[in-house]
Amino acid sequence: MNALPPCPKCHANYTYEDGGLCMCPDCGHEWAPEAAAGVAAARVWKDAHGNVLQDGDTVTLVKDLKIKGSSSVVKVGTKVKNIRLIDGDHDIDCKIEGIGAMQLKSEFVKKA
């Protein structure tokens, strides 16, 4: 069983240790194992009520959200299943039924 962290660049699980560095055979990235642990632990996504969010969670909107470039509105109480957390201003990538793929801010959702 591999106790080493996955590659922070390509997220491959086949990392190995070479001296004091971790190496990725897929992309060739080298990093210190301590640095990767600090980066992974630094980012925590929270909803409007302070609950920690994870990939695959189901969330509910707590505010009506206008869709940019359209006259449509995503209503409060809309349930969004199987979210994916990403870095950036809009930190939730999801697909809303009847609307399609879009990104949301975690401050406008609550964990269902």
Side-chain angles (χ1 to χ4, degrees):
M1 177 173 240
N2 190 1
L4 295 173
C7 176
K9 189 173 181 183
C10 71
H11 305 291
N13 291 323
Y14 304 111
T15 58
Y16 62 93
E17 198 166 13
D18 186 19
L21 296 175
C22 288
M23 310 258 318
C24 177
D26 290 345
C27 69
H29 182 66
E30 299 177 3
W31 73 98
E34 302 84 31
V39 171
R43 179 70 172 149
V44 175
W45 291 269
K46 294 187 177 185
D47 68 0
H49 300 292
N51 298 321
V52 177
L53 296 172
Q54 296 178 344
D55 282 340
D57 280 346
T58 299
V59 296
T60 305
L61 294 177
V62 296
K63 179 181 177 183
D64 285 345
L65 300 174
K66 295 179 184 176
I67 299 175
K68 193 172 190 176
S70 174
S71 61
S72 300
V73 175
V74 182
K75 296 288 188 177
V76 64
T78 302
K79 192 175 273 192
V80 182
K81 298 178 183 176
N82 199 18
I83 64 169
R84 191 170 60 109
L85 301 171
I86 58 174
D87 287 324
D89 186 33
H90 291 75
D91 45 8
I92 296 175
D93 194 22
C94 63
K95 187 183 264 188
I96 298 178
E97 213 172 297
I99 294 175
M102 65 184 311
Q103 293 181 348
L104 303 171
K105 291 186 176 184
S106 59
E107 62 195 66
F108 299 127
V109 300
K110 70 176 181 178
K111 195 170 184 176

